[in-house]
Amino acid sequence: GAVVSQHPSRVICKSGTSVKIECRSLDFQATTMFWYRQFPKQSLMLMATSNEGSKATYEQGVEKDKFLINHASLTLSTLTVTSAHPEDSSFYICSATLVDTQYFGPGTRLTVL
Amino acid sequence: GDSVTQMEGPVTLSEEAFLTINCTYTATGYPSLFWYVQYPGEGLQLLLKATKADDKGSNKGFEATYRKETTSFHLEKGSVQVSDSAVYFCALSDRYTGANSKLTFGKGITLSVRP
């Protein structure tokens, strides 16, 4: 139980394009999902908290106009990286909360050329 | 604010060796404590958790006990396997904010187990 999926697992795009990443809770409903970014050999950096039906709460220093988050249903949250640039290349991981525990997706490797 | 401190790594062990990974925390109130494991190229998997003092979390031979008096949540395993090679993260969350509780992570430690 408590399975979270992400799609795509890998994406390569050209600089200036937008990329959408989906995060789904497969066997439970999640009113809250989180989006993280992870750099090589480092811990996770929280980008934003996503609540179903309301605007996401972004961490300090995260550009909300660049990283658009939508949480339209209890099982789906999306992160759109707009006008991506090479510095946005990273490993993006989502999590969904069930009761008091966060369950993580497998991550999406974004490479911007 | 809340913080989690993990011992410095990496750690390299021989198969069947005993494992201890230290984790201490600083928090206001009474947090829930977690160990997550990350295999190469993957997301994090919940390994075990404890929600109150003296609770012991256990899974796949790993154990950790919530020690309020020493503010610690050390991870142990009696006999490691090559398949345990991964990055291990200690984390805490503030139970009072419910589903919106953010996780505070330690830096993570890489464990390599050689045959």
Side-chain angles (χ1 to χ4, degrees):
Chain A
V3 179
V4 178
S5 71
Q6 277 184 247
H7 178 80
S9 58
R10 290 178 176 271
V11 57
I12 300 172
C13 69
K14 293 182 178 179
S15 186
T17 61
S18 295
V19 173
K20 180 185 285 188
I21 302 170
E22 294 185 347
C23 177
R24 292 180 185 273
S25 55
L26 298 185
D27 52 0
F28 65 101
Q29 294 183 330
T31 55
T32 304
M33 293 184 175
F34 298 87
W35 286 95
Y36 296 84
R37 186 171 177 178
Q38 186 179 33
F39 293 99
K41 299 188 185 300
Q42 293 189 23
S43 190
L44 280 71
M45 181 191 80
L46 179 64
M47 299 174 65
T49 303
S50 169
N51 286 299
E52 186 266 338
S54 62
K55 291 184 178 180
T57 303
Y58 291 82
E59 295 298 301
Q60 193 171 8
V62 177
E63 298 177 59
K64 60 181 67 177
D65 293 332
K66 180 165 190 61
F67 298 100
L68 300 179
I69 292 172
N70 183 274
H71 193 158
S73 78
L74 289 172
T75 60
L76 173 64
S77 177
T78 60
L79 167 68
T80 301
V81 183
T82 63
S83 187
H85 291 284
E87 58 266 30
D88 299 324
S89 298
S90 193
F91 193 53
Y92 292 88
I93 307 176
C94 71
S95 71
T97 300
L98 176 61
V99 187
D100 63 350
T101 300
Q102 287 187 36
Y103 295 90
F104 287 80
T108 296
R109 173 74 59 193
L110 170 63
T111 303
V112 185
L113 302 176
Chain B
D2 296 346
S3 67
V4 174
T5 302
Q6 291 185 233
M7 60 185 278
E8 294 287 328
V11 173
T12 301
L13 296 173
S14 296
E15 203 165 25
E16 299 184 1
F18 183 85
L19 169 71
T20 299
I21 300 177
N22 289 341
C23 172
T24 57
Y25 67 90
T26 303
T28 54
Y30 303 94
S32 293
L33 302 174
F34 305 84
W35 276 101
Y36 286 91
V37 58
Q38 185 177 32
Y39 298 99
E42 299 183 10
L44 275 65
Q45 297 179 24
L46 177 66
L47 183 57
L48 52 84
K49 69 177 185 180
T51 57
K52 61 183 187 296
D54 299 325
D55 267 3
K56 177 186 284 188
S58 61
N59 185 27
K60 299 180 181 179
F62 291 90
E63 293 183 340
T65 301
Y66 190 144
R67 300 285 188 200
K68 184 170 176 290
E69 63 276 12
T70 55
T71 61
S72 65
F73 193 53
H74 303 324
L75 182 68
E76 296 182 338
K77 187 175 185 182
S79 175
V80 293
Q81 305 299 313
V82 173
S83 56
D84 293 326
S85 299
V87 180
Y88 291 81
F89 292 95
C90 184
L92 68 80
S93 73
D94 174 3
R95 286 183 291 151
Y96 292 107
T97 50
N100 281 330
S101 295
K102 299 178 184 180
L103 282 172
T104 300
F105 283 95
K107 291 186 176 180
I109 186 169
T110 299
L111 169 66
S112 298
V113 180
R114 53 175 182 251

